[in-house]
Amino acid sequence: METKKEKFPADLPSALNNFQKVKEAFPESGPLLFLDFDGTLAPIVDHHDDAAISEEMKSLVKKLSQRFPLAVVSGRGLSDVRKRVDLPELYYAGSHGFEISGPNGFSKDHEEAVKVIPVFNEIEPILKDKLKDIPGVDFERKKFTLAIHYRQVPQAQEEEVHSAVSKVLEDHKQVTKADGKKVIEIRPAIDWHKGRAVEFLKKQLSQEENTFSVYVGDDVTDEDAFEFVSNGLGVLVGEHGRQTFADYSLKDLEEVKSFFRKLLEE
Ligand SMILES: [Mg+2]
């Protein structure tokens, strides 16, 4: 596996201005496409429940899926992201890949993660109680993760949210937490992430061994895919405040759409 180096997002070349070069890396059959949802296909919104894909973006994704093998990879629960994209013919990896579904009833849950579900049932009421006095905390329970959104929490109290969560997790080692954009995500402490989900999906989407892939995402959790996935390139949308393993960048969803249109012209 090639070793990748982290870069500052501002130093990444634009996937649009360098499209010719991007394209040169594609195999003749075209790349496999892996697309994140929030911040990539749908704008980031104040309330995670309001996130929606535009008709224009949806139509582009549909057309792309008719040209290239394609999967949507999200931190959202599988049923949630499937419902929001609303293209039943696609492959989806929900909860960072702990649950995967595809056309013709294809479905796969991570077996080790299934065993951790009771722990979520146990910690959810504890966390709700510990955080009840902090205004704006928003819980999102998914099958394999528990997300604690704090976009609405006063900045002065953000640290309190983090420390309360850390304290509860000290007694529950079967789960671990990851930080996203104004969200703490509690997930099974299993070495599994979007990158491993993509590696798994590559085998579903293509008969060939390790087909070239393009992964487009905006968040820290997408870094696992940028870093881990071999024989492919990563496209970072916007910035997430840290260095990145992506190869190219797109500024925003408008540029994502332009990138998709260029892919469709090929
Ligand atoms: Mg995202």
Side-chain angles (χ1 to χ4, degrees), residues 36-42 44 73-75 181 194 216-222:
D36 169 50
F37 181 71
D38 291 87
T40 300
L41 300 181
I44 299 277
V73 182
S74 176
K181 287 179 179 170
K194 284 178 164 182
V216 189
D218 73 308
D219 207 348
V220 178
T221 57
D222 297 308

Short mmCIF file of all heavy atoms in Angstrom, two decimals, residues 36-42 44 73-75 181 194 216-222, ligand 1:
data_model
loop_
_atom_site.label_atom_id
_atom_site.label_comp_id
_atom_site.label_asym_id
_atom_site.label_seq_id
_atom_site.Cartn_x
_atom_site.Cartn_y
_atom_site.Cartn_z
N ASP A 36 -19.92 10.69 0.04
CA ASP A 36 -20.45 11.00 1.37
C ASP A 36 -21.78 11.74 1.17
O ASP A 36 -22.08 12.22 0.07
CB ASP A 36 -19.40 11.87 2.08
CG ASP A 36 -19.92 12.49 3.36
OD1 ASP A 36 -20.49 11.76 4.18
OD2 ASP A 36 -19.76 13.72 3.52
N PHE A 37 -22.59 11.84 2.23
CA PHE A 37 -23.89 12.52 2.08
C PHE A 37 -23.85 13.96 2.60
O PHE A 37 -23.79 14.91 1.82
CB PHE A 37 -25.00 11.71 2.77
CG PHE A 37 -26.35 12.35 2.62
CD1 PHE A 37 -27.00 12.36 1.39
CD2 PHE A 37 -26.96 12.98 3.70
CE1 PHE A 37 -28.24 12.98 1.24
CE2 PHE A 37 -28.20 13.60 3.55
CZ PHE A 37 -28.84 13.60 2.32
N ASP A 38 -23.81 14.14 3.94
CA ASP A 38 -23.88 15.50 4.51
C ASP A 38 -22.64 16.31 4.16
O ASP A 38 -21.52 15.86 4.39
CB ASP A 38 -24.00 15.43 6.03
CG ASP A 38 -25.34 14.86 6.47
OD1 ASP A 38 -25.46 13.62 6.58
OD2 ASP A 38 -26.26 15.66 6.69
N GLY A 39 -22.82 17.48 3.62
CA GLY A 39 -21.69 18.33 3.28
C GLY A 39 -21.09 18.01 1.93
O GLY A 39 -20.17 18.68 1.46
N THR A 40 -21.59 16.94 1.31
CA THR A 40 -21.09 16.55 -0.02
C THR A 40 -22.25 16.53 -1.02
O THR A 40 -22.20 17.19 -2.06
CB THR A 40 -20.42 15.16 0.05
OG1 THR A 40 -19.33 15.24 0.97
CG2 THR A 40 -19.90 14.72 -1.30
N LEU A 41 -23.31 15.79 -0.69
CA LEU A 41 -24.50 15.76 -1.55
C LEU A 41 -25.60 16.67 -1.01
O LEU A 41 -26.45 17.14 -1.78
CB LEU A 41 -25.05 14.33 -1.65
CG LEU A 41 -24.12 13.27 -2.23
CD1 LEU A 41 -24.82 11.92 -2.29
CD2 LEU A 41 -23.62 13.69 -3.61
N ALA A 42 -25.59 16.91 0.28
CA ALA A 42 -26.60 17.77 0.91
C ALA A 42 -25.90 18.83 1.75
O ALA A 42 -24.90 18.52 2.40
CB ALA A 42 -27.53 16.95 1.80
N ILE A 44 -24.77 21.24 4.73
CA ILE A 44 -24.79 21.14 6.19
C ILE A 44 -25.84 22.13 6.71
O ILE A 44 -25.88 23.28 6.29
CB ILE A 44 -23.40 21.52 6.77
CG1 ILE A 44 -22.31 20.56 6.26
CG2 ILE A 44 -23.44 21.59 8.29
CD1 ILE A 44 -22.17 19.26 6.99
N VAL A 73 -21.79 6.68 1.12
CA VAL A 73 -21.17 6.25 2.37
C VAL A 73 -21.40 7.35 3.41
O VAL A 73 -20.96 8.48 3.21
CB VAL A 73 -19.65 6.04 2.18
CG1 VAL A 73 -19.00 5.56 3.47
CG2 VAL A 73 -19.38 5.05 1.05
N SER A 74 -22.10 7.02 4.48
CA SER A 74 -22.49 8.08 5.41
C SER A 74 -22.35 7.66 6.87
O SER A 74 -22.38 6.47 7.19
CB SER A 74 -23.95 8.46 5.14
OG SER A 74 -24.40 9.41 6.07
N GLY A 75 -22.21 8.65 7.72
CA GLY A 75 -22.26 8.40 9.16
C GLY A 75 -23.69 8.23 9.63
O GLY A 75 -23.94 7.72 10.73
N LYS A 181 -18.11 17.32 12.80
CA LYS A 181 -18.43 18.74 12.80
C LYS A 181 -19.56 19.01 13.80
O LYS A 181 -20.72 18.72 13.51
CB LYS A 181 -18.85 19.20 11.41
CG LYS A 181 -17.68 19.29 10.45
CD LYS A 181 -18.12 19.73 9.06
CE LYS A 181 -16.90 19.84 8.15
NZ LYS A 181 -17.27 20.02 6.74
N LYS A 194 -15.13 4.23 7.48
CA LYS A 194 -15.56 4.43 6.10
C LYS A 194 -14.57 3.82 5.10
O LYS A 194 -14.97 3.32 4.05
CB LYS A 194 -15.74 5.92 5.82
CG LYS A 194 -17.02 6.51 6.41
CD LYS A 194 -17.10 8.00 6.13
CE LYS A 194 -18.51 8.55 6.36
NZ LYS A 194 -18.60 9.99 6.03
N VAL A 216 -15.52 11.09 -2.58
CA VAL A 216 -15.75 12.51 -2.35
C VAL A 216 -16.40 12.69 -0.98
O VAL A 216 -17.44 12.09 -0.69
CB VAL A 216 -16.69 13.11 -3.44
CG1 VAL A 216 -16.75 14.63 -3.31
CG2 VAL A 216 -16.22 12.73 -4.84
N GLY A 217 -15.77 13.48 -0.11
CA GLY A 217 -16.30 13.69 1.23
C GLY A 217 -15.79 14.96 1.86
O GLY A 217 -14.81 15.54 1.38
N ASP A 218 -16.42 15.40 2.93
CA ASP A 218 -16.09 16.70 3.50
C ASP A 218 -15.62 16.66 4.95
O ASP A 218 -15.15 17.66 5.48
CB ASP A 218 -17.32 17.62 3.47
CG ASP A 218 -18.34 17.20 4.52
OD1 ASP A 218 -18.71 16.01 4.52
OD2 ASP A 218 -18.74 18.05 5.34
N ASP A 219 -15.76 15.51 5.62
CA ASP A 219 -15.59 15.55 7.08
C ASP A 219 -14.37 14.74 7.53
O ASP A 219 -13.78 14.01 6.76
CB ASP A 219 -16.86 15.01 7.75
CG ASP A 219 -17.06 15.59 9.15
OD1 ASP A 219 -16.12 16.22 9.69
OD2 ASP A 219 -18.15 15.40 9.70
N VAL A 220 -14.07 14.89 8.81
CA VAL A 220 -12.93 14.18 9.39
C VAL A 220 -13.08 12.67 9.22
O VAL A 220 -12.11 11.96 8.96
CB VAL A 220 -12.79 14.54 10.90
CG1 VAL A 220 -11.64 13.78 11.53
CG2 VAL A 220 -12.58 16.04 11.07
N THR A 221 -14.32 12.17 9.33
CA THR A 221 -14.53 10.72 9.19
C THR A 221 -14.23 10.23 7.78
O THR A 221 -13.96 9.05 7.57
CB THR A 221 -15.98 10.32 9.55
OG1 THR A 221 -16.88 11.05 8.70
CG2 THR A 221 -16.30 10.62 11.00
N ASP A 222 -14.29 11.13 6.80
CA ASP A 222 -13.95 10.74 5.43
C ASP A 222 -12.45 10.55 5.26
O ASP A 222 -12.00 9.94 4.29
CB ASP A 222 -14.47 11.79 4.44
CG ASP A 222 -15.97 11.90 4.48
OD1 ASP A 222 -16.64 10.85 4.35
OD2 ASP A 222 -16.50 13.01 4.67
MG MG B 1 -20.03 14.66 5.36
#
